[in-house]
Structures are given as structure tokens and as C-alpha cells.
Amino acid sequence: MMGDPGSAMPLTHRGARFELVPSMQEILCLLDDGRLLVSRSHLQNPSVKAFVARLERISFTHVLHPVEMSDISQAYAGARVTARHEVSGSDMQNYARELFRRAVKLRASDVHIRVSSRSNTRILFRIHNDLEFQEEQTYEFGHQLCTTIYQAMADVADATYETLSSQDARISDRSKIPFGLDGIRVATSPQVDGHVMVLRMLYNDANNSSDTTSLGYTATQAQSFYLMKKKPTGINIVGGPTGSGKSTTLQRLLSSIIRESLGRKNVITVEDPPEYPIPGAVQTPVTNVESEEERARAFQSAIKAAMRLDPDVIMIGEVRDTPSAKLAVQAAMTGHQVWTTLHANGAFQIVDRLVDLGVPAELVCDPAIVTGLTCQRLLKVLCPHCRQPLDQVQASLDQFDVERVRTAVPNAAIYVRGTGCGHCGNAGITGRTVVAETILTDEPLMTLLRRGDRPAAIDYWRAAMRGQTMLDHAVDKIAQGLVDPFQAEDIVGLLDGGVRRLREMAQAN
Ligand SMILES: [Zn+2]
């Protein structure tokens, strides 16, 4: 689960309640939401300790967060610019900044601005994967807002907002984005009666952790990742549909490789586009492309270029066509550790996808070449304050559905999504958590796959390798009261495959 970086104001800057001298402002920042940011290297500093003691004396509720000094200067910078800006009075930029702050506060992944001459401008946030309507404005307001964001806030050389074409840009000027973000990716497109702008919020807390269990992976799965990282060569693939959190997982794994090697490994990424900074990695973007065809070609030449840069570890953002699949496998065969993502519905299905993409089956089923297969989805985490026991609501539900869930998850206190409360911003959910399956390949498993004996391979994986399917993982999380069983079924499929219902209907007839 991810924390909320919020968009709080410092209480320790000049003129504020707890004003500090400039030298202290370099190592400490108290925010008005109670977060106390303290430089990791100065936790034992006597002045820091004295400040904490002072807060405790007056019973000021706070939570200490050890951070980097750059995070602290960023926290102050955001506030200074806001203050300056109110004076200069560019209303539309202020409005945009406030919109971004609200989005970050609600942990929205995207902001959609739909400008339409027929139905005005509608602003929506994507929160926990659902689009939520925020507000309506006039057409002119929306047009002006998009123009301001593109022309005055984004870093584009040719800064003219064209409502009749698709444009891409990025806002990376720290003074224009709220605390908690690394940047905002901007994508625009015309629509029949207006235009659309989609802003992707790039949160910066995603790369502060190199831990996969905090994403929702089990200890056994984290152990599989550990062993994949230990193998010096081979390709490790994370599968799942769009929006299933694959990139976050890869980014955490790469961060941990860099940290554990103490910077002795040359880690190169090829991404289109790079989403998050991975400190310590060389991230190469795919640039200057107009068409899909050009994009594919540019991506392939970026992979080839990366292989010439003497890498130990290569991350390829996504394998999506035959050339990139073949290049990824080739990189693994020439002595590199490769990490990538792929669209697939299950860990074993990754094997099928690679074969579909034209990689010879004998290479795909070689445990020295393909070392790790992972597939993941994201489930919504129930708000612990307003979730409802299934017992209390089951009378209003389909009895087949209730029985199916109770049979699949026996002897557990099962909860469903509540109507929302003050703790969860009336959403009923507080974040998302991974359900996954991981396979660390070996010779016996790959021999079974080469023979085409998938059921035997699955049995071996479950018995000898403690393999757990995504469905098993979801059942565990339902039993812990962490996720709603019916939402889980929407994502990972019916808990019993729906067999029971059909059987009973057949008997009734
Ligand atoms: Zn709640």
C-alpha cells in the first residue's frame, strides 16, 4: 500500500508558527498535516532533538519521517512559490496548482480535463483505478486551463497548445507541482466537439522503497524475487494487464539491486517514456518519434544501444512486439540480467506469449535463459473503519454469491466495502494491494513445460516450489478482511470458477 504524500504547508518557514533559523530549515520541516520531515543524516542532531522535545512538551501531534535533505528543500520551495504566486496573481496557474494539490491529496493517479462545446468542461480524477467526477466548468474555462498548463507550466520547446493534434509534455519544474510528485506527464488529444487533456501524477514515494512486501507480495514471493536477483544472467518478466502496477514492482526491484550492490552494478533502463526516476540507474528514453512504427524502431535501437553500454542489468520497459522480445532474450543469452514487463493473464501464460511473439520454445523453456515469471493484479484495500461484515449485508445479496464466497473462504471474518467514512474520504477504500503469482524457474519445471504438460508443471510448482496462484493469494487477503470478495472476483475471476451455480441449476431442472 502506498502512503499519501499530501500537499501540506510547512509550519517552520519564515513567519510561520514554528519558524526556524535557515540552517535548521535545511534539515527539518514540520508540515501542517503533522508530518515532521527530518534529514536521515541529522536524526541525532541536538537541535533536531530539542525541537522534537519542544513538540512533545506542548503535545503537538506529529509523525517523524526520515527523508533526504532534497525532500526538505522541496517542501519549503513549494510553499514559497505558492506565497509568491498569490501576489503575482496568475489565476489560471493558481487554479491548476490547486487542482494538482487536490489530486495528490486524494492520491489520484490521473487528472482528466474534458473540454467540450456541447457539455462544458468536466474534470475527473482517477482514484484507486476508478474515474471520479470532480467538477464542471465552462468550455472557455477548460480551454484556458489546458492552454495555461501546456504553454506556461509544461517544459516544451515548441509551446503552442494545438487543440487539433495530440501532444505530449511533462511538467517537472518543482515550483509548479505539489510536494510528493516528481513530475506530471501531460497527454492531449482532440475529440469531436473539443479536446481532452490527461495528466499523469508521478509520485515520488514510489522509489523511496525497495521492498516488494509493502506492495502486497508474500514473504515467499519476495524470497523468489531475491533469488531471481541473485542469478547473474537470465530474463525475469512481470506480467499483467495495463494498470496492474507492473512498473512499480520493477522499479522497486531495480532500486534494491542498485542498493544491495552498493552501486557496483551498471543498471540501464530503456523506457518509453521513463515514468519514475530510479536513482543510480542510467535511464534512456525513447525520443523523437511520430508514428507507432517509428516508436517500435526507436525502442529497438535503444535496447541495442543499452547493450553496448556495458550493462550488468538491463530493464526494458515493455516487451510488446517480436523484435523487442527477441532482443530481450538475446540480452539474457549474452550475459546480462534482464527485467521487463509483458501483457499476460498469468505467470504460466507468459511462456505462451513469448512463443506467440516468435521466441523459439526451446529458448523460452530454458531455465538458464528465462529465470523468473511473475504475474500481478491490484485489489482495492478496504477501509478498516467502515468495512462491513458479510454477515450483516448478506441478506441483500445473491445467495449463490454468498455461498460461493463462504465455501472458498471458510471460517473467516469476511468483510465487504462500506459506504465510506471520514477516514477514507468516503471512498470505502484506502489504497491498493498486489495479488500475484511468482515462478522461479528450474530444470524439472521447464522440462514439463517443454513437453507441453502444463498441469504437471503447475502441480510441481505448487508442491515443490510452494507456488501460490493469484486466486490463492486473493483468498488469503479476503480471509484477512483486507479486500472485498466480490471486487476480488471482478479482478481474479470467480472463486470457484462458477461451477457450483451451474451444477445446482442442473440439479434443479
Ligand atoms: Zn472508511
Side-chain angles (χ1 to χ4, degrees), residues 211-263:
D211 173 25
T212 47
T213 51
S214 66
L215 296 175
Y217 278 96
T218 66
T220 307
Q221 290 166 343
Q223 193 62 31
S224 298
F225 283 136
Y226 176 79
L227 295 168
M228 289 173 203
K229 289 188 292 184
K230 285 276 174 202
K231 300 192 177 187
T233 67
I235 178 166
N236 301 289
I237 304 167
V238 181
T242 304
S244 59
K246 303 185 292 273
S247 322
T248 304
T249 300
L250 269 200
Q251 180 203 21
R252 294 230 176 166
L253 290 167
L254 286 192
S255 296
S256 68
I257 290 169
I258 292 165
R259 207 197 53 228
E260 286 155 17
S261 75
L262 303 173

Side-chain angles (χ1 to χ4, degrees), residues 383 385-386 420-421 423-424 428:
C383 170
H385 302 282
C386 63
C421 68
H423 294 279
C424 56

